[in-house]
């Protein structure tokens, strides 16, 4: 049963445009994440965020930024997309974000294609 | 690289066969998660094994963890077509936080 919702499912855009992806979780979790999955299925964490702390993976380009209105929502904005940003972006949540054995619950992803 | 293998592996087996997928990691972890990802969906946790456990079972799944060699395995007994998916291991790199780092994954195809 889906509890992490992502929109849109797909997005096609041109180099240099700004895009924004939405994510909402209905699990009441405190922490949300963004992962990038490339064409080889490799998953890389981009951000983790709760009310207290934003942790940014140091490899994430500065044109990427998370945006949160409350703990149930974590959007992702890309200021000026590049061809290498083409990927599937997966949103996830976990109960507290403070335990190593917590389950991550993922959405179905947003597939971005940059022309 | 934090992983012994960073390319997606592919395995194709017949229905009813047993299969084992391996994961080796280079950075200390206190737990190994195994997730499966169906086509068009996000990954979902299937089994989790902690560093003080050597083996964990759940239905037809069996996970092992060898902290001395920094490796884990996931076995599926009597694979079925619905087991077709990409399987990932993930570790926490020793952090107490919930951030997980995923290995490259294994594409398992079960042929009827």
């Amino acid at each position: 049963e889906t509890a992490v919702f992502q929109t849109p499912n797909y997005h096609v855009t041109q180099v240099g445009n700004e895009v924004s992806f939405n994510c909402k979780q209905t699990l009441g979790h405190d922490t949300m994440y963004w992962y990038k999955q490339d064409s080889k299925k490799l998953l890389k964490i981009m951000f983790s965020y709760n009310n207290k702390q934003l942790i940014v993976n140091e490899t994430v380009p500065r044109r990427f930024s998370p945006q949160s209105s409350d703990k149930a929502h974590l959007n992702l904005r890309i200021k000026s997309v590049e061809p290498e940003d083409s990927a599937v972006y997966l949103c996830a949540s976990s109960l507290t974000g403070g335990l190593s054995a917590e389950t991550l619950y993922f959405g179905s992803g947003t597939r971005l294609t940059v022309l | 690289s934090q992983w012994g293998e960073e390319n997606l592996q592919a395995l194709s087996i017949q229905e009813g066969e047993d299969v084992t997928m391996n994961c080796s990691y280079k950075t200390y972890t206190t737990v190994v998660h195994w997730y499966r990802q169906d086509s068009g969906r996000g990954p979902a946790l299937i089994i989790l094994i902690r560093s003080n456990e050597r083996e964990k079972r759940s239905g037809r799944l069996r996970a092992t963890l060898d902290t001395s060699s920094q490796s884990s395995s996931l076995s599926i007994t009597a694979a079925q077509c619905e087991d077709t998916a990409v399987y990932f291991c993930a570790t926490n790199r020793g952090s107490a936080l919930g951030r997980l780092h995923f290995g490259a994954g294994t594409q398992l195809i079960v042929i009827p």
Side-chain angles (χ1 to χ4, degrees), chain A residues 13-40:
Chain A
T13 190
Q14 307 254 346
V15 170
N17 285 350
E18 177 175 315
V19 299
S20 188
F21 305 144
N22 301 315
C23 180
K24 171 186 173 181
Q25 54 96 1
T26 59
L27 295 164
H29 288 172
D30 285 340
T31 300
M32 297 182 72
Y33 310 81
W34 279 103
Y35 281 81
K36 179 181 179 181
Q37 186 169 41
D38 66 19
S39 58
K40 296 180 181 178

Side-chain angles (χ1 to χ4, degrees), chain A residues 1 6 15 19-20 27 30 33 44 55 72-73 90-91 99:
Chain A
E1 185 177 348
Q6 292 187 238
V15 170
V19 299
S20 188
L27 295 164
D30 285 340
Y33 310 81
K44 287 198 185 294
I55 300 177
H73 297 83
L90 288 158
C91 176
L99 297 172

Side-chain angles (χ1 to χ4, degrees), chain A residues 2 33 35 37 40-43 45 47-48 55 90 97-104 106-108, chain B residues 8 30-31 33 35 37 40-43 45 48 50 88 92 95-102 104:
Chain A
T2 303
Y33 310 81
Y35 281 81
Q37 186 169 41
K40 296 180 181 178
K41 300 290 187 182
L42 201 58
L43 277 159
I45 187 165
F47 305 100
S48 64
I55 300 177
L90 288 158
L99 297 172
S100 62
E102 282 188 348
T103 301
L104 290 187
F106 283 88
S108 294
Chain B
L8 180 68
T30 60
V31 64
H33 296 230
Y35 284 75
Q37 184 176 24
R41 308 290 298 273
L45 180 72
L48 178 155
R50 300 171 193 266
F88 297 95
N92 67 347
S95 169
L97 300 179
R99 291 158 55 87
L100 290 181
H101 301 268
F102 286 75

